[in-house]
């Protein structure tokens, strides 16, 4: 295909004018065509406004006037509905065409037929369609090999993703030229090798959004609960219903409707149709799934963080993963492109297949099977790729391989502990299940050693401690108490305390993952961690009083600091065990989750922390830990000193520049 200097954008609506702006910004001479000069004038005004905004923010260096000089307009239809001679002339001089007219097949076909006969044969004819088959549009031309999909996202100047879609006849050269053009516009193209309805982003989004909607329609959760889970547990930039309202419920309605009509197998959730038919289209109508102060007046709905705590987000993401797996298995898109598309097109913090690896491919498959059983719907049947991954043990991060390879995953066995390295995480598993992980002097030694080893391992950013079997730990090993003299008991208590100090002042965040009984020394260990996440079935307590003794590993000190004196006294004086939920109400555990979700919840939370700057985490930890024990003056001084010290780190420079450049920071711990 020819070298591109001049780009023609046909259609000056929402997408067309944005695409023209992007092309002009990239230095191309741009022709923008539409059916009337009024529309074109309006489009130019919008482009000028947008350029002004980008310029004033410093995102663009070239003054708007200079960019505007490169944009020319042309009316393409005469009042009688014929293509104008002006349009024909422009077609004779352009090197690349991007069509963005309304989504009507006949309209596009007529346009492509005309463009095909009035452009040179080495000019790419791209369509920005999101719902029509490229092949059918191309069928109106004599050279279908130069017709390609080039799907931008709204608004084009801000959204970096472009899906490049191959029709049946599209040539490699055409795809290459389109990818090259997208790159030269500063965009990140992904290739969709087969013209499937919805391409990558809309297919995955349709699955997730539809599932979210069904969760509400089935009465399992409210709109706010789903959005809270999506935002705070999956880390999406906004809730799914919030997104639907923001983009317009009609937009999704039309796109999904077109997809299902083209054979995308789904049971569309009725709530979307209801909202659509009632005219409750979201922000623009002043009401959709949420209420707004008035039509077009956007305020972000308030979505509390706790609202989503009872929902298992795996069920929301699993149908999206299933779709992504289908795309990969069918060779429609490469793994990396699927992840890039979901990251950039949906604003996800990581690609959908990375989510699958982190949650565990087996966990995803289980969720799909349950949905399949519940509904009998074919689209929930786990994709054969996922099934084979489970069979082959490619379960994701925990197995060291899934959709991606994870180097450094290994298990180290000690007498009483099991260490599972899963960079950037390390799990320390208390491993004497037959004794309910009772803590022996040997275990304390090994814990010290393991903590030292992990401290020297730069890959490890967060440490999790949990127990094998049905207990986290039922406490110090009582059978060893029989041989203790008073002095030895005191020395033992001091040793235990020292290990826990090591944990409390560990250079990495430590999360105690309470899978069952968390008693006595077990609870004391958990209290030295930064966070405690418990499974519903966990029982917590300080039962020492029943043995005629008191807690000896910090229980009388850390417990009152965590939950207050009288409540601590009650637990210690009575020796009562309390269930996790009650412990949560007391502030003794931070979060309670169903047993089956404990590991996955803890891992997600740990991975979130692992992305933060390690030195700043350490400084925050020390400032808080040492600060609460000091006078406020000393605490403040410590805080200022650490605050200042962090300005000597590369990570602080990275964090600040990433913010200013509007990108995700990459912290390296230096
Ligand atoms: N030290 C040594 N062994 C312990 C232990 C501890 N702290 N906690 C449990 N075990 C052992 C039990 O002796 C038993 O061993 P066995 O099979 O050889 O008899 C095994 O772990 C399983 O415990 P069991 O008592 O049979 O389980 P359970 O479900 O009936 O009860 C507990 C669980 C946690 C309520 C009960 O084991 C208990 O009260 N443990 C002691 C808790 C304690 O006082 N901790 C404070 C120590 S400072």
């Amino acid at each position: 295909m020819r070298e591109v200097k001049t780009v023609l954008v046909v259609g000056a609506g929402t997408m067309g004018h944005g695409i023209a702006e992007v092309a002009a910004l990239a230095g191309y001479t741009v022709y923008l065509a539409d059916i009337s000069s009024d529309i074109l004038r309006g489009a130019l005004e919008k482009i000028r406004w947008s350029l002004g905004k980008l310029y004033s923010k410093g995102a663009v260096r070239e003054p708007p006037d200079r960019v505007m000089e490169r944009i020319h307009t042309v009316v393409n239809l005469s009042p009688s509905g014929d293509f104008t001679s002006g349009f024909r002339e422009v077609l004779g001089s352009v090197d690349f065409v991007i069509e963005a007219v309304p989504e009507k097949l006949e309209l596009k076909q007529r346009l492509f037929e005309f463009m095909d006969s009035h452009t040179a044969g080495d000019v790419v004819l791209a369509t920005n369609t999101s719902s029509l088959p490229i092949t059918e549009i191309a069928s109106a031309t004599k050279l279908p090999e130069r017709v390609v999909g080039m799907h931008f996202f709204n608004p084009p100047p801000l959204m970096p993703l472009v899906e490049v879609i191959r029709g049946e006849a599209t040539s490699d050269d055409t795809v290459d030229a389109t990818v090259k053009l997208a790159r030269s516009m500063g965009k990140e193209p992904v290739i969709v090798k087969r013209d499937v309805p919805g391409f990558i982003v809309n297919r995955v989004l349709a699955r997730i959004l539809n599932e979210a909607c069904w969760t509400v329609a089935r009465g399992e959760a409210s709109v706010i609960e789903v959005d809270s889970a999506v935002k705070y547990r999956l880390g999406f930039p906004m809730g799914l219903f919030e997104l639907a309202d923001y983009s317009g419920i009609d937009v999704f309605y039309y796109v999904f409707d077109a997809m299902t009509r083209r054979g995308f197998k789904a049971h569309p959730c009725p709530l979307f149709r209801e909202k659509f038919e009632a005219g409750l289209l979201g922000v623009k109508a002043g009401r959709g799934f949420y209420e707004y102060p008035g039509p077009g007046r956007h305020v972000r709905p308030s979505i509390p963080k706790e609202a989503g705590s009872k929902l298992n987000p795996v069920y929301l993401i699993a149908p999206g993963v299933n779709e992504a797996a289908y795309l990969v298995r069918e060779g429609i898109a490469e793994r990396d492109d699927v992840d890039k598309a979901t990251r950039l097109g949906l604003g996800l913090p990581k690609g959908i297949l990375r989510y699958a690896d982190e949650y565990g491919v087996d966990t995803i498959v289980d969720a799909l099977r349950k949905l399949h059983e519940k509904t009998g719907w074919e689209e929930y049947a786990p994709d054969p790729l996922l099934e084979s991954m489970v069979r082959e043990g490619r379960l994701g991060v925990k197995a060291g391989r899934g959709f991606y390879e994870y180097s450094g995953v290994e298990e180290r066995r000690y007498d009483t502990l099991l260490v599972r390295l899963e960079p950037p995480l390390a799990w320390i598993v208390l491993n004497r299940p037959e004794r309910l992980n009772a803590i022996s002097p040997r275990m304390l030694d090994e814990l010290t050693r393991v903590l030292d080893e992990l401290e020297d391992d730069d890959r490890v950013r967060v440490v999790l401690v949990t127990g094998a079997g049905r207990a986290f730990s039922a406490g110090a090993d009582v059978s060893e108490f029989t041989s203790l003299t008073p002095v030895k008991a005191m020395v033992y208590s001091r040793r235990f305390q020292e290990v826990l100090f090591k944990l409390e002042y560990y250079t990495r965040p430590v999360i105690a993952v309470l899978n069952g009984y968390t008693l006595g020394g077990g609870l004391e260990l958990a209290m030295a961690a930064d966070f405690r996440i418990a499974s519903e079935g966990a029982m917590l307590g300080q039962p020492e009083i029943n043995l005629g003794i008191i807690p000896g590993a910090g229980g009388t000190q850390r417990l009152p600091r965590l939950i207050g004196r009288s409540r601590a006294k009650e637990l210690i004086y009575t020796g009562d065990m309390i269930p996790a939920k009650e412990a949560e109400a007391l502030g003794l555990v931070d979060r309670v989750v169903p047993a089956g979700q404990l590991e996955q919840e803890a891992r997600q939370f740990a991975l979130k922390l692992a992305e933060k700057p390690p030195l700043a985490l350490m400084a925050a930890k020390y400032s808080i830990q040492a600060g609460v024990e000091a006078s406020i003056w000393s605490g403040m001084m410590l805080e200022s000193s650490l605050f200042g010290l962090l300005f000597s780190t590369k990570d602080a420079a990275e964090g600040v520049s990433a913010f200013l450049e509007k990108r995700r920071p990459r912290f390296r711990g230096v």
Side-chain angles (χ1 to χ4, degrees):
M1 307 317 281
R2 63 165 66 185
E3 198 198 328
V4 180
K5 294 208 177 79
T6 306
V7 175
L8 166 65
V9 180
V10 188
T14 317
M15 295 308 289
H17 84 261
I19 297 170
E21 176 182 344
V22 170
L25 274 171
Y28 294 105
T29 299
V30 176
Y31 284 92
L32 182 57
D34 209 310
I35 56 173
S36 82
S37 41
D38 274 356
I39 295 179
L40 289 166
R41 237 191 324 272
L44 288 182
E45 248 162 56
K46 284 190 203 142
I47 296 177
R48 188 184 294 277
W49 173 86
S50 166
L51 287 171
K53 212 164 159 186
L54 293 174
Y55 184 67
S56 68
K57 279 182 165 177
V60 165
R61 289 237 190 83
E62 209 180 2
D65 282 345
R66 290 252 299 282
V67 181
M68 292 302 290
E69 277 169 22
R70 286 197 289 276
I71 306 180
H72 312 279
T73 58
V74 56
V75 173
N76 63 347
L77 281 186
S78 68
S80 61
D82 294 326
F83 290 107
T84 61
S85 54
F87 185 51
R88 192 172 344 138
E89 252 167 57
V90 168
L91 287 174
S93 70
V94 298
D95 308 314
F96 200 105
V97 179
I98 306 171
E99 165 275 316
V101 306
E103 294 279 83
K104 297 199 177 95
L105 184 61
E106 310 80 66
L107 181 70
K108 293 199 196 240
Q109 283 179 330
R110 186 169 162 245
L111 177 65
F112 272 76
E113 184 185 6
F114 185 77
M115 297 197 301
D116 183 50
S117 50
H118 292 89
T119 45
D122 58 353
V123 172
V124 171
L125 305 180
T127 168
N128 178 54
T129 185
S130 56
S131 57
L132 298 171
I134 314 297
T135 308
E136 282 181 40
I137 296 172
S139 70
T141 67
K142 291 195 194 72
L143 290 174
E145 57 269 32
R146 61 157 156 166
V147 179
V148 67
M150 190 178 191
H151 185 221
F152 287 80
F153 288 75
N154 191 21
L158 300 183
M159 296 290 284
L161 183 68
V162 172
E163 288 172 322
V164 175
I165 307 103
R166 225 176 223 291
E168 265 168 37
T170 311
S171 71
D172 290 348
D173 283 352
T174 300
V175 170
D176 291 348
T178 309
V179 163
K180 198 169 147 208
L181 180 76
R183 287 220 177 97
S184 76
M185 290 174 166
K187 298 293 166 199
E188 302 239 23
V190 294
I191 298 178
V192 186
K193 293 187 249 183
R194 210 189 321 146
D195 184 9
V196 288
F199 316 137
I200 303 172
V201 174
N202 280 338
R203 286 180 83 92
V204 173
L205 177 61
R207 294 292 180 210
I208 297 178
L209 199 54
N210 205 39
E211 193 51 42
C213 188
W214 273 114
T215 307
V216 173
R218 284 192 297 252
E220 291 163 6
S222 69
V223 163
I224 289 191
E225 285 166 348
V226 168
D227 271 3
S228 168
V230 164
K231 230 175 118 157
Y232 295 105
R233 315 247 321 267
L234 292 174
F236 284 23
M238 49 168 101
L240 290 165
F241 294 105
E242 190 186 357
L243 171 73
D245 270 6
Y246 185 76
S247 310
I249 289 170
D250 50 336
V251 173
F252 288 106
Y253 180 75
Y254 285 127
V255 171
F256 296 160
D257 186 52
M259 282 166 60
T260 30
R261 270 190 285 116
R262 278 187 59 199
F264 179 73
K265 287 204 183 62
H267 290 74
C269 164
L271 291 185
F272 266 86
R273 173 182 283 274
E274 282 165 26
K275 295 278 174 200
F276 174 75
E277 282 170 357
L280 304 175
L281 303 181
V283 176
K284 62 181 152 193
R287 219 176 123 193
F289 289 104
Y290 296 93
E291 302 251 0
Y292 303 89
R297 299 200 27 213
H298 181 236
V299 288
R300 288 201 79 161
S302 128
I303 300 171
K305 192 170 173 185
E306 325 79 68
S309 55
K310 72 176 174 46
L311 209 75
N312 186 354
V314 162
Y315 285 94
L316 296 174
I317 203 144
V321 171
N322 209 29
E323 187 59 44
Y326 164 82
L327 292 172
V328 171
R329 180 178 52 81
E330 284 280 312
I332 295 164
E334 301 288 337
R335 172 198 73 183
D336 289 354
D337 275 358
V338 167
D339 267 3
K340 195 202 249 184
T342 44
R343 215 162 29 81
L344 301 177
L346 303 175
L348 306 189
K350 56 203 153 214
I352 185 103
L353 299 173
R354 289 259 179 212
Y355 271 101
D357 275 2
E358 287 179 10
Y359 273 102
V361 178
D362 51 341
T363 311
I364 299 282
V365 166
D366 278 349
L368 288 167
R369 285 208 186 110
K370 291 209 179 90
L371 288 169
H372 190 219
E373 269 165 35
K374 185 152 70 180
T375 59
W377 296 344
E378 191 187 337
E379 64 265 32
Y380 288 127
D383 189 85
L385 174 59
L386 298 178
E387 303 260 27
S388 70
M389 288 175 75
V390 171
R391 270 198 308 277
E392 290 158 21
R394 283 158 55 208
L395 304 181
V397 176
K398 63 184 165 193
R401 61 201 188 116
F403 282 99
Y404 296 85
E405 299 280 320
Y406 299 87
S407 62
V409 174
E410 60 172 292
E411 252 179 26
R412 296 184 195 150
R413 281 181 179 276
Y414 299 79
D415 258 8
T416 63
L417 300 178
L418 182 74
V419 173
R420 218 166 61 220
L421 259 187
E422 202 184 281
L425 312 183
W427 294 79
I428 301 176
V429 184
L430 310 177
N431 193 27
R432 298 178 76 204
E434 70 295 347
R435 291 240 151 243
L436 299 186
N437 303 324
I439 300 171
S440 59
R442 172 116 196 134
M443 191 186 273
L444 291 180
D445 282 348
E446 291 188 343
L447 192 56
T448 309
R449 215 171 99 202
V450 161
L451 286 171
D452 286 342
E453 280 171 15
L454 294 178
E455 193 134 69
D456 288 338
D457 189 336
D458 286 339
R459 297 169 302 170
V460 175
R461 298 261 178 111
V462 179
V463 170
L464 301 107
V465 185
T466 193
R470 61 194 176 98
F472 174 75
S473 165
D477 193 329
V478 180
S479 63
E480 306 200 2
F481 285 4
T482 49
S483 60
L484 279 187
T485 65
V487 170
K488 276 188 181 159
M490 179 186 142
V491 171
Y492 178 52
S493 158
R494 290 296 296 155
R495 259 180 75 197
F496 203 154
Q497 289 175 353
E498 275 161 24
V499 181
L500 297 193
F501 266 130
K502 195 178 197 72
L503 206 64
E504 186 166 38
Y505 283 87
Y506 201 60
T507 50
R508 324 289 210 272
V510 178
I511 303 171
V513 183
L514 312 180
N515 52 301
Y517 288 116
T518 304
L519 302 173
L523 181 56
E524 291 170 300
L525 192 162
M527 286 192 291
D530 294 292
F531 305 99
R532 284 150 295 283
I533 304 181
S535 90
E536 264 165 8
M539 298 290 289
L540 292 82
Q542 295 285 176
E544 291 85 347
I545 206 82
N546 299 324
L547 305 173
I549 54 176
I550 62 169
T556 64
Q557 304 304 301
R558 289 198 180 96
L559 191 57
R561 280 167 172 74
L562 268 177
I563 66 172
R565 272 182 228 190
S566 40
R567 289 191 285 207
K569 283 178 182 169
E570 189 179 335
L571 279 181
I572 292 172
Y573 291 6
T574 62
D576 283 348
M577 283 195 253
I578 57 169
K581 268 284 169 207
E582 211 174 314
E584 185 184 29
L586 289 176
L588 184 52
V589 307
D590 302 292
R591 197 185 302 168
V592 180
V593 300
Q597 294 172 39
L598 183 65
E599 184 179 327
Q600 138 210 332
E601 274 292 318
R603 181 180 285 114
Q604 284 300 117
F605 179 55
L607 285 169
K608 182 170 176 178
L609 297 182
E611 281 176 22
K612 307 292 174 191
L615 296 173
L617 284 177
M618 179 168 79
K621 176 163 172 167
Y622 284 3
S623 193
I624 293 168
Q625 285 301 106
V628 289
E629 302 303 339
S631 72
I632 191 152
W633 296 279
S634 316
M636 290 291 186
M637 210 47 226
L638 174 63
E639 182 185 83
S640 306
S641 310
L642 291 170
F643 176 79
L645 191 61
L646 288 171
F647 279 80
S648 68
T649 64
K650 294 211 169 70
D651 280 351
E654 163 67 6
V656 173
S657 44
F659 174 81
L660 296 175
E661 290 159 24
K662 295 198 185 306
R663 60 176 172 82
R664 280 168 77 78
R666 279 186 69 98
F667 295 118
R668 291 183 299 124
V670 285

